[in-house]
Amino acid sequence: MSAKELVKAFYESDLANDSTIVPKFFHKDCELHWTSSHGFSLLKFNDISNFFEGTRKSYDALRFEFTHLIEMNEYVTTRHTLFAHTIENPDSEIALAHFSALWEIKDNKLYRGFEISHKVDETDLVSMNSYKEIKI
């Protein structure tokens, strides 16, 4: 599987319900350097596992729309929007955040990630339109 195929498979997996996602996709020595609206976080394997455990408690389904998914050797760059169905309102999908990420793949797993995210402002149509899905 190519690096791009691996990253795409990760984002297309059932992150909201599948407890095997982290060991299946993340390297045991992984690091995720994440800058969000809450500041900077450095997440290692167990931190990522705990994060997705919390995700499974809050969301019924997650979906990612990509504007960019670019591969160069063992690196993959993404630009995407995260959509979710909350446990409280499973019939309604909401846009949660826009992301840009750079993933390094090692041993066919997500090894090192550098990610930036910010909350979606659905009233800002210019921003929303810049994140319209493209076919990858």
Side-chain angles (χ1 to χ4, degrees), residues 14-68:
D14 190 2
L15 295 169
N17 298 295
D18 186 349
S19 63
T20 68
I21 294 297
V22 174
K24 184 176 184 181
F25 286 99
F26 285 87
H27 194 282
K28 284 286 186 190
D29 298 322
C30 68
E31 291 183 345
L32 174 57
H33 303 248
W34 182 13
T35 303
S36 71
S37 55
H38 299 288
F40 177 79
S41 298
L42 175 59
L43 305 174
K44 301 213 179 201
F45 186 88
N46 288 335
D47 304 316
I48 294 167
S49 184
N50 291 337
F51 174 82
F52 283 114
E53 185 177 317
T55 298
R56 289 190 300 278
K57 292 177 183 175
S58 300
Y59 299 102
D60 194 45
L62 298 173
R63 180 177 66 84
F64 299 87
E65 275 188 11
F66 290 88
T67 62
H68 297 79

Side-chain angles (χ1 to χ4, degrees), residues 52-135:
F52 283 114
E53 185 177 317
T55 298
R56 289 190 300 278
K57 292 177 183 175
S58 300
Y59 299 102
D60 194 45
L62 298 173
R63 180 177 66 84
F64 299 87
E65 275 188 11
F66 290 88
T67 62
H68 297 79
L69 187 61
I70 303 165
E71 176 182 33
M72 185 172 152
N73 303 318
E74 70 273 12
Y75 298 96
V76 177
T77 302
T78 72
R79 183 175 182 262
H80 56 277
T81 301
L82 169 60
F83 295 86
H85 293 261
T86 63
I87 297 291
E88 296 84 9
N89 194 1
D91 295 329
S92 178
E93 182 178 73
I94 58 171
L96 292 179
H98 298 302
F99 289 82
S100 292
L102 171 63
W103 288 105
E104 179 183 354
I105 307 306
K106 181 178 178 181
D107 302 329
N108 209 35
K109 300 238 180 180
L110 300 170
Y111 176 62
R112 189 169 291 124
F114 300 91
E115 187 169 70
I116 297 172
S117 66
H118 61 91
K119 293 179 183 178
V120 168
D121 177 2
E122 293 190 62
T123 64
D124 182 352
L125 295 179
V126 174
S127 173
M128 288 301 294
N129 285 336
S130 82
Y131 278 89
K132 291 292 182 191
E133 180 180 25
I134 61 171
K135 299 299 177 202

